[in-house]
Amino acid sequence: MKKIFGFLLTTTLFVLYSFGYQAFSQNRTIVNAEKDSSILMIVETPPEFKGGEKARIDFLVKNITYPIEAREAGIEGVVFITFVIEIDGSISNIKVLRGIGGGCDDEAVRVIRLMPKWTPGKQNGKEVRVQFNMPIKFSFGKKDDDKKNDKLK
């Protein structure tokens, strides 16, 4: 009886695995057939801000204005933004994944909208839509007393 039950269980698991794998393969084919409209998260060649990482950081520093409400309330932290880099390098679908309030979330979205076109991501040699997540840090920086103490160390 135990042998029959074990055989049936093994056979059932094998059949379920086979059907599950086929369903996965079919779904993967459907996604690839619609690659012009699909949004990828991992690609062979990721999108890049024109000028590289340093240029992106310089752009953010130059264009972000610390919101008065956040400054008065002493709000500091990181706003996590997500957006899509389209095949022409433009930015769309900007959303706040995790905000800190005080106007910082809106300011992060505003600055992302100002960004120039990126170099788009590529998959199999073709330009594709890519989801990009970006943290934007809002900080007052070190106080003057802290800077003096750091120099003394």
Side-chain angles (χ1 to χ4, degrees):
M1 184 71 168
K2 288 182 181 179
K3 288 182 180 181
I4 294 172
F5 180 72
F7 175 75
L8 289 174
L9 181 62
T10 304
T11 305
T12 304
L13 290 175
F14 177 75
V15 169
L16 289 175
Y17 174 77
S18 297
F19 281 121
Y21 182 75
Q22 280 184 330
F24 174 76
S25 297
Q26 289 172 352
N27 287 341
R28 194 168 143 180
T29 302
I30 290 169
V31 170
N32 286 337
E34 299 174 14
K35 65 181 155 188
D36 290 341
S37 64
S38 64
I39 299 170
L40 303 175
M41 295 193 74
I42 299 172
V43 291
E44 293 169 352
T45 306
E48 184 178 36
F49 188 84
K50 301 235 175 157
E53 190 66 17
K54 182 176 180 344
R56 181 181 66 86
I57 292 168
D58 290 345
F59 175 86
L60 292 172
V61 168
K62 183 178 177 182
N63 289 285
I64 288 178
T65 304
Y66 214 109
I68 294 170
E69 180 184 348
R71 194 177 315 142
E72 289 174 352
I75 296 173
E76 291 184 295
V78 180
V79 176
F80 290 90
I81 300 285
T82 187
F83 53 91
V84 175
I85 300 167
E86 300 290 342
I87 58 174
D88 67 350
S90 63
I91 296 172
S92 68
N93 301 347
I94 304 167
K95 294 177 187 158
V96 176
L97 292 175
R98 188 175 69 183
I100 58 174
C104 294
D105 307 347
D106 294 333
E107 179 63 9
V109 170
R110 183 190 72 81
V111 171
I112 296 299
R113 282 193 179 117
L114 290 176
M115 283 186 159
K117 288 186 175 184
W118 289 47
T119 303
K122 290 186 178 183
Q123 186 72 15
N124 297 324
K126 292 188 177 184
E127 294 167 341
V128 293
R129 301 173 76 205
V130 180
Q131 177 121 18
F132 195 88
N133 298 329
M134 181 185 302
I136 299 178
K137 184 176 182 180
F138 286 84
S139 174
F140 299 118
K142 290 188 173 186
K143 296 178 184 174
D144 289 334
D145 292 340
D146 292 341
K147 288 180 185 175
K148 290 177 187 174
N149 289 336
D150 285 346
K151 288 180 183 177
L152 296 175
K153 290 181 182 178

